């Protein structure tokens, strides 16, 4: 039966092994039991599997970005992100937020800004899809019954199944064109230049499914203000 010291030593070895697989710590090789496969070769196999599985998991949440980059560049992007911004969550789903933050640092405001814009939209889609259902719909009859002298006290919130985004112009159309496209090894096409300007979007999930709506001028500001607690007064 293993003692407490043995358990502690094993836990430490496992933690160091994971760190070595993720390129966060060197020197694990000499501590591995000898096998017919050299330690550095075995470690390389684990690293390849970890890199591939991580990229595949993120590709499920970012299909348009994956298709735009192609599998090779996508895998490189994901692994670079993982090494620079390792997720602190046990839930792999949360790694998507780290990818958006990584691209905000390295792509936003550059000729590669389309990567960040697509990531922002696709991450919003994922969050909306898993968000808890709203408690209820706004009932016009109940709203009409509020006395005029109390209407200034009304406050609204944006349901978790909705998200407001401000991204580069053309992002929604680009996403629609790419999201059903299977990813090839090479990029689908050269990165398109940014057309300039912005695009305001509402991502919403309802009985009819998911919708990405391009808002007209003024709608974003209105929804953002109401969702932030502003009154109608």
């Amino acid at each position: 039966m293993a003692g407490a010291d043995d358990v502690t030593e094993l836990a430490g070895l496992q933690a160091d092994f994971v760190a070595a697989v993720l390129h966060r710590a060197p020197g694990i090789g000499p501590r591995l039991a000898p096998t017919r496969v050299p330690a550095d070769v075995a470690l390389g196999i684990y690293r390849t599997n970890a890199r591939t599985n991580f990229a595949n998991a993120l590709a499920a949440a970012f299909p348009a970005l994956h298709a735009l980059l192609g599998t090779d560049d996508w895998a490189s992007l994901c692994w670079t992100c993982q090494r620079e911004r390792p997720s602190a969550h046990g839930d792999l789903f949360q790694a998507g937020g780290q990818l958006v933050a990584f691209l905000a640092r390295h792509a936003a405001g550059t000729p590669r800004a389309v990567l960040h814009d697509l990531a922002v939209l696709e991450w919003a889609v994922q969050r909306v899809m898993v968000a808890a259902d709203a408690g209820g719909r706004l009932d016009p009859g109940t709203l009409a019954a509020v006395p005029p002298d109390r209407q200034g006290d009304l406050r609204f919130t944006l349901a978790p199944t909705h998200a407001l985004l401000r991204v580069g112009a053309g992002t929604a159309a680009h996403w629609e064109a790419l999201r059903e496209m299977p990813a090839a090894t090479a990029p689908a096409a050269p990165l398109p230049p940014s057309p300039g300007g912005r695009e305001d979007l509402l991502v919403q999930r309802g009985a009819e499914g998911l919708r990405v709506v391009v808002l007209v001028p003024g709608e974003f500001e209105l929804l953002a203000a109401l969702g932030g607690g502003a009154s109608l007064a």
Side-chain angles (χ1 to χ4, degrees), residues 145-229:
V146 176
D149 62 336
R150 298 294 306 278
Q151 291 177 0
D153 297 330
L154 292 173
R155 296 294 186 274
F156 301 89
T157 59
L158 199 63
T161 51
H162 294 66
L164 285 171
L165 309 176
R166 177 160 283 170
V167 291
T171 298
H174 201 192
W175 172 73
E176 286 285 0
L178 286 168
R179 67 191 183 112
E180 300 297 338
M181 182 184 298
T185 301
L191 290 183
S194 173
R198 74 184 188 199
E199 183 170 79
D200 294 333
L201 305 177
L202 174 66
V203 181
Q204 57 183 164
R205 191 193 85 221
E208 69 283 358
L210 181 84
R211 296 178 61 209
V212 176
V213 181
V214 179
L215 301 176
V216 302
E219 287 183 331
F220 180 94
E221 288 78 9
L222 174 62
L223 291 172
L226 292 176

Side-chain angles (χ1 to χ4, degrees), residues 98-192:
Q98 297 297 327
L99 180 63
V100 174
F102 175 82
L103 290 172
R105 176 179 177 184
H106 294 286
T110 76
R112 296 168 63 85
V114 62
L115 300 180
H116 177 247
D117 289 330
L118 277 175
V120 168
L121 174 52
E122 294 202 283
W123 183 233
V125 167
Q126 292 300 312
R127 289 186 289 108
V128 164
M129 290 297 293
V130 302
D133 291 330
R137 292 179 176 272
L138 180 64
D139 178 20
T142 301
L143 190 61
V146 176
D149 62 336
R150 298 294 306 278
Q151 291 177 0
D153 297 330
L154 292 173
R155 296 294 186 274
F156 301 89
T157 59
L158 199 63
T161 51
H162 294 66
L164 285 171
L165 309 176
R166 177 160 283 170
V167 291
T171 298
H174 201 192
W175 172 73
E176 286 285 0
L178 286 168
R179 67 191 183 112
E180 300 297 338
M181 182 184 298
T185 301
L191 290 183

Side-chain angles (χ1 to χ4, degrees), residues 16-26 43-44 46-48 50-51 79 82-84:
D16 290 345
F17 180 74
V18 170
V21 168
L22 299 180
H23 289 280
R24 296 178 192 165
L43 191 58
Y46 278 101
R47 283 173 172 162
T48 298
R51 175 174 176 162
W79 196 242
Q82 162 67 15
R83 294 181 65 180
E84 180 177 312

